[in-house]
Amino acid sequence: MRMPLIAGNWKMFKTRSAAAEFAAAFLQNYTASDVEVAILAPFTNLADLVQAFKSSGVKIGAQNMHFADEGAYTGEISPLMLKDLNIDYCIIGHSERRQHFAETDEVVNQKLKAAFRHGINPILCVGEVRSERETGQASAVVTSQLNKALTDIKAREAAGLTVAYEPVWAIGTGLTATPEQAGEMCAVIRQILIDLYGEETADQIRILYGGSVKPDNATELLNQYEIDGALVGGASLDPVNFLNIVQF
Ligand code: 13P
């Protein structure tokens, strides 16, 4: 049985003082349950958050990393540096990185390999844009993204993977995929994982849905058979909203 994961992606929001306020407010009302919780924060907040959430069971993660251990890559952060902070997760291949920072499937593949090499649990994001959904290509796009991202990644490593299905047209737009649309695509993803790695490994991989998840739609989405959790953007910035989703 896969433990659900609710992960908040703060994107480029919150100064250190705002992150500290969030931590205090969240922890006041949070009790650990059989739902895993993670906060994926800007680099500048990671060390503070690891400390603040230390004994709570809440996991901390980054939103991106370079694939090299070190080198002349001005402005980048390496997996070694992240591992040194004791973080657990890193988002890889978020659509905003693909769109604004020209991240290709090949780069995503290198980053995934680097994450596994360093024992950082990657949350791999895949998802189609609106025109691709409207022209019936959503499954083909997600299938291609997934196959390219997982090239040369072995079953032993893939067992530690989390996949997030985030239809790009549902991110930050208030448009949510219907539970059926989200559930269907997560089932497509599960089948690809079975084809690549076999039932036993595929069974261990969590598949999350992301895209305008809010307290009032979380339960319905999370009740879908193949959805093992949520990757929450905007609604994870507010401790009350995020707690409501965590307690879906
Ligand atoms: P929103 O929840 O703000 O739509 O963002 C989703 C997302 O991109 C999470 O990674």
Side-chain angles (χ1 to χ4, degrees):
M1 195 54 196
R2 295 178 291 271
M3 183 189 266
L5 169 63
I6 307 292
N9 173 10
W10 282 0
K11 308 194 177 182
M12 198 173 70
F13 290 95
K14 292 199 193 294
T15 58
R16 290 177 68 201
S17 60
E21 275 172 34
F22 177 100
F26 184 88
L27 286 171
Q28 211 165 30
N29 293 304
Y30 173 71
T31 31
S33 67
D34 51 5
V35 174
E36 190 180 338
V37 178
I39 295 173
L40 312 165
F43 294 126
T44 47
N45 291 328
L46 294 177
D48 291 348
L49 290 175
V50 167
Q51 194 59 31
F53 283 96
K54 200 169 46 184
S55 43
S56 69
V58 173
K59 308 279 175 61
I60 302 301
Q63 302 167 8
N64 178 41
M65 62 178 211
H66 198 274
F67 50 78
D69 289 2
E70 56 185 10
Y73 298 106
T74 302
E76 291 291 311
I77 302 281
S78 88
L80 264 184
M81 296 166 181
L82 292 179
K83 198 59 201 167
D84 192 39
L85 293 176
N86 285 319
I87 59 135
D88 288 289
Y89 287 101
C90 186
I91 299 177
I92 305 285
H94 192 279
S95 62
E96 286 153 13
R97 298 221 46 94
R98 296 178 192 254
Q99 185 186 347
H100 303 302
F101 302 95
E103 237 176 61
T104 61
D105 288 319
E106 290 67 34
V107 168
V108 169
N109 174 245
Q110 282 182 284
K111 290 185 175 187
L112 271 186
K113 287 177 182 160
F116 287 127
R117 212 166 44 239
H118 289 283
I120 295 170
N121 300 307
I123 301 176
L124 166 66
C125 296
V126 294
E128 80 286 357
V129 300
R130 190 184 192 131
S131 59
E132 291 163 341
R133 171 145 300 257
E134 285 170 356
T135 52
Q137 300 173 76
S139 298
V141 168
V142 168
T143 301
S144 162
Q145 287 174 338
L146 206 52
N147 278 313
K148 287 179 180 162
L150 295 172
T151 301
D152 295 331
I153 288 172
K154 306 273 179 299
R156 177 174 38 84
E157 296 169 323
L161 177 71
T162 300
V163 178
Y165 169 54
E166 297 209 311
V168 179
W169 48 270
I171 295 179
T173 57
L175 289 175
T176 318
T178 63
E180 293 72 29
Q181 284 172 322
E184 264 169 34
M185 190 63 84
C186 291
V188 168
I189 293 171
R190 180 79 59 204
Q191 189 55 52
I192 297 166
L193 296 172
I194 292 171
D195 294 345
L196 284 172
Y197 298 116
E199 294 259 2
E200 200 182 319
T201 300
D203 243 15
Q204 298 174 56
I205 301 175
R206 284 184 292 203
I207 304 176
L208 315 183
Y209 168 78
S212 298
V213 176
K214 306 277 182 257
D216 60 5
N217 62 19
T219 308
E220 213 185 354
L221 286 159
L222 290 163
N223 280 341
Q224 290 289 311
Y225 177 65
E226 283 296 359
I227 301 183
D228 304 315
L231 186 52
V232 185
S236 73
L237 294 170
D238 176 76
V240 175
N241 282 339
F242 192 51
L243 266 171
N244 279 332
I245 296 175
V246 164
Q247 293 158 350
F248 68 94

